[in-house]
């Protein structure tokens, strides 16, 4: 079940750039292809790249478009070069049409720190996502739900998910739409100029995770915002898991960074493996969405039927469902990790509570697990950080005034 206010907020977030403009889309296409082209030069010149399962992505995209579904790809996050290098591994046919180029998210305090960088990443089809407590209920996540909702499914049949127009809740939704941004209105225009359904790529861990041996190439837990992209679009997306290794050696995390690190590529001649899995079982995804629908029926007020209630955002039942969905997604990516030749992961790494404690104590809770370079899961090491409470309310905004010591930068 979808909510009109979520879709409307997604529209608003996407409207921050003129994405209905043909001029904008022309330069957006050029930006994306330029970045992919430069990345291809680096990979093809300096590294040995193997892509397994490309036919799975081909077939998923064809089937999704035929069934009028969005496409969601999920991948582990080992390096700051994962995107765009993951796309540079694919054939050029994936970039001929702007609609086939992925949407993605990036940290606002890293990639959206000025007008220039904000414009560049926006043209690269990247959405600004805030971390450190902002949580899954923020504009970027609403935009992702909207991107995965085909434009011709913004109707009562898809949004109500079988409620039927005669039910009290459906009638209340239609009535309350008078005060909302109404996608059923003849004047409504989608925020993105597109001819077919979209591809969205996410890194569900939310942070780069580079651990030292023997835990290298392990993953963090998958964050609950990804579950929103499964449960809330008007139609279920086609979901393709991906696992990669080798990018972490191209761009290893460092304690000391310099401006030259951005242009330096390590482990030249090394192997990069991208393993693309088969689309996930639609019956399992439909089962998750049915559980979500039942929760929506249980916790949606007739007086405020177009808004997601606090119980659906922060209630224990909703949290358990999002956790179950995220755990299932992580398990599917983890299977691809085993296919890439790695040993089975330590069971602690799929546990949210273990990571929360490990992060809060800056690794002291389990000193046997160590990061390569800085722990990017820790706000202490990041500038321009906004800090939020558990419901996403802004508590603090500081520039370079961090909770702990920051690693020194080399001077050149």
């Amino acid at each position: 079940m979808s909510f009109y206010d979520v879709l409307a907020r997604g529209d608003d977030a996407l409207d921050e750039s003129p994405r209905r403009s043909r001029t904008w889309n022309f330069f957006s296409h050029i930006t994306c292809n330029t970045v992919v082209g430069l990345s291809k030069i680096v990979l093809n010149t300096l590294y040995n790249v193997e892509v397994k399962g490309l036919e799975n992505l081909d077939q998923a995209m064809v089937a999704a478009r035929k069934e009028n579904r969005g496409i969601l790809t999920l991948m582990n996050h080992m390096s700051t070069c994962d995107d765009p290098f993951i796309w540079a591994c694919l054939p050029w046919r994936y970039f001929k049409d702007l609609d086939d180029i992925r949407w993605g998210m990036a940290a606002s305090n890293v990639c959206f720190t000025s007008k220039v960088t904000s414009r560049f990443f926006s043209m690269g089809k990247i959405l600004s996502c805030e971390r450190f407590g902002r949580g899954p209920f923020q504009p970027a996540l609403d935009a992702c739900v909207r991107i995965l909702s085909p434009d011709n499914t913004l109707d009562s049949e898809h949004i109500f998910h079988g409620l039927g127009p005669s039910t009290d809740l459906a009638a209340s939704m239609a009535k309350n739409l008078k005060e909302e941004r109404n996608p059923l209105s003849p004047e409504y225009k989608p925020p993105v100029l597109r001819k077919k359904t979209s591809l969205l790529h996410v890194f569900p861990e939310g942070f780069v995770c580079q651990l030292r041996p023997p835990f290298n190439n392990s993953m963090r837990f998958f964050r609950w915002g990804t579950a929103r992209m499964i449960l809330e679009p008007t139609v279920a997306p086609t979901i393709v898991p991906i696992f990669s290794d080798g990018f972490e050696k191209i761009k290893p995390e460092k304690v000391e960074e310099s401006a030259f690190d951005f242009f330096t590529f390590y482990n030249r001649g090394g192997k990069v493996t991208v393993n693309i899995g088969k689309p996930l079982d639609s019956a399992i995804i439909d089962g998750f969405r049915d559980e979500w629908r039942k929760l929506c029926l249980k916790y949606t007020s007739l007086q405020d039927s177009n808004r997601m209630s606090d119980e659906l955002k922060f209630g224990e039942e909703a949290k358990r469902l999002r956790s179950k969905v995220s755990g299932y997604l992580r398990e599917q990516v983890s299977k691809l990790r085993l296919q890439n030749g790695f040993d089975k992961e330590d069971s602690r790494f799929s546990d949210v509570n273990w990571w929360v404690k490990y992060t809060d104590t800056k690794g002291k809770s389990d000193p046997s697990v160590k990061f390569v370079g800085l722990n990017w899961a820790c706000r202490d090491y990041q500038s321009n950080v906004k800090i939020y409470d558990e419901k996403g309310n802004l508590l603090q905004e500081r520039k370079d005034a961090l909770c702990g010591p920051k690693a020194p930068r080399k001077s050149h």
Side-chain angles (χ1 to χ4, degrees):
M1 181 171 169
S2 306
F3 285 89
Y4 280 118
D5 75 308
V6 170
L7 299 173
R9 287 198 304 271
D11 276 4
D12 291 340
L14 292 167
D15 268 341
E16 291 179 1
S17 296
R19 293 187 169 95
R20 286 196 57 80
S21 164
R22 293 187 182 276
T23 301
W24 172 275
N25 282 272
F26 174 77
F27 284 106
S28 177
H29 200 178
I30 289 177
T31 300
C32 293
N33 280 347
T34 299
V35 172
V36 169
L38 293 173
S39 300
K40 278 181 172 290
I41 291 173
V42 172
L43 284 179
N44 293 335
T45 303
L46 302 178
Y47 299 98
N48 177 19
V49 179
E50 179 185 10
V51 179
K52 299 187 289 187
L54 181 61
E55 68 280 2
N56 294 329
L57 183 58
D58 286 335
Q59 294 167 8
M61 292 185 70
V62 170
R65 266 60 186 274
K66 185 177 181 180
E67 298 170 3
N68 197 33
R69 298 176 184 267
I71 305 105
L72 177 64
T73 53
L74 315 160
M75 195 179 94
N76 61 313
H77 202 6
M78 288 291 298
S79 171
T80 55
C81 73
D82 284 342
D83 192 313
F85 278 17
I86 174 64
W87 307 110
C89 296
L90 304 185
W92 269 114
R93 67 175 183 270
Y94 280 90
F95 312 101
K96 291 181 179 179
D97 190 331
L98 184 61
D99 286 340
D100 290 334
I101 296 176
R102 65 89 188 93
W103 288 87
M105 289 187 290
S108 59
N109 67 299
V110 177
C111 299
F112 291 82
T113 56
S114 69
K115 288 184 178 180
V116 173
T117 59
S118 296
R119 177 61 61 91
F120 172 76
F121 284 102
S122 294
M123 280 196 160
K125 298 184 72 173
I126 295 294
L127 303 168
S128 174
C129 181
E130 295 186 41
R131 302 185 288 188
F132 302 116
R134 183 65 174 89
F137 303 101
Q138 56 173 293
L141 276 297
D142 293 333
C144 289
V145 172
R146 178 62 185 88
I147 286 169
L148 290 171
S149 299
D151 296 332
N152 59 356
T153 62
L154 303 186
D155 53 41
S156 57
E157 176 184 353
H158 291 91
I159 292 177
F160 300 162
H161 286 307
L163 286 178
S166 61
T167 63
D168 290 341
L169 183 55
S172 173
M173 282 181 163
K175 179 180 179 181
N176 290 338
L177 264 181
K178 296 177 181 179
E179 301 177 2
E180 303 291 338
R181 179 172 178 171
N182 189 347
L184 304 182
S185 168
E187 291 77 28
Y188 173 79
K189 291 184 178 180
V192 176
L193 193 64
R194 59 181 178 179
K195 303 181 294 297
K196 49 191 173 184
T197 57
S198 298
L199 167 66
L200 173 66
H201 181 75
V202 296
F203 299 101
E205 294 166 270
F207 300 93
V208 169
C209 180
Q210 288 187 19
L211 297 178
R212 296 185 183 277
F215 305 115
N216 52 302
N217 296 85
S218 295
M219 297 182 291
R220 287 169 48 85
F221 69 95
F222 279 17
R223 305 184 77 83
W224 293 351
T226 312
R228 290 194 62 197
M229 304 172 203
I230 311 297
L231 301 173
E232 296 180 40
T234 52
V235 295
T238 297
I239 306 164
V240 179
I242 302 173
F243 185 88
S244 71
D245 65 83
F247 294 133
E248 75 282 0
K249 295 178 181 177
I250 296 176
K251 284 290 184 182
E253 293 293 285
K254 289 178 171 292
V255 173
E256 295 185 5
E257 297 177 335
S258 72
F260 293 101
D261 284 323
F262 183 81
F263 301 100
T264 303
F265 304 103
Y266 299 88
N267 192 41
R268 288 181 286 276
K271 179 75 175 291
V272 173
T273 304
V274 177
N275 190 357
I276 304 172
K278 293 182 179 181
L280 302 187
D281 189 338
S282 59
I284 295 176
I285 302 304
D286 288 342
F288 291 142
R289 286 170 62 87
D290 188 54
E291 288 186 58
W292 171 246
R293 177 179 173 274
K294 291 175 181 177
L295 287 180
C296 291
L297 294 177
K298 183 177 180 180
Y299 291 114
T300 299
S301 165
L302 292 178
Q303 289 71 40
D304 205 11
S305 52
N306 288 323
R307 300 184 185 279
M308 192 184 299
S309 66
D310 278 356
E311 191 64 39
L312 290 173
K313 289 181 178 179
F314 311 113
E316 291 303 316
E317 290 176 89
K319 285 182 178 180
R320 281 197 296 271
L321 176 58
R322 292 191 186 96
S323 180
K324 182 164 67 171
V325 172
S326 298
Y328 169 75
L329 298 175
R330 188 186 185 283
E331 181 181 313
Q332 304 314 303
V333 177
S334 184
K335 289 179 180 179
L336 299 176
R337 177 182 178 277
L338 294 176
Q339 292 177 11
N340 277 26
F342 294 99
D343 294 333
K344 188 176 181 180
E345 281 186 301
D346 190 304
S347 60
R348 295 171 296 177
F349 295 156
S350 62
D351 184 357
V352 176
N353 295 321
W354 184 89
W355 280 105
V356 169
K357 185 177 180 181
Y358 183 84
T359 301
D360 287 346
T361 63
K362 302 178 181 62
K364 293 180 181 178
S365 61
D366 199 330
S368 66
V369 180
K370 294 192 179 297
F371 278 85
V372 175
L374 300 179
N375 178 355
W376 275 87
C378 229
R379 67 171 62 94
D380 290 21
Y381 301 118
Q382 299 198 41
S383 60
N384 305 306
V385 167
K386 295 179 181 179
I387 302 173
Y388 299 85
D389 66 14
E390 62 179 6
K391 290 192 175 183
N393 299 311
L394 182 63
L395 295 177
Q396 195 172 21
E397 182 174 2
R398 298 180 297 176
K399 282 195 173 185
D400 295 316
L402 305 176
C403 304
K406 184 177 181 180
R409 290 182 178 271
K410 292 180 181 178
S411 57
H412 292 273

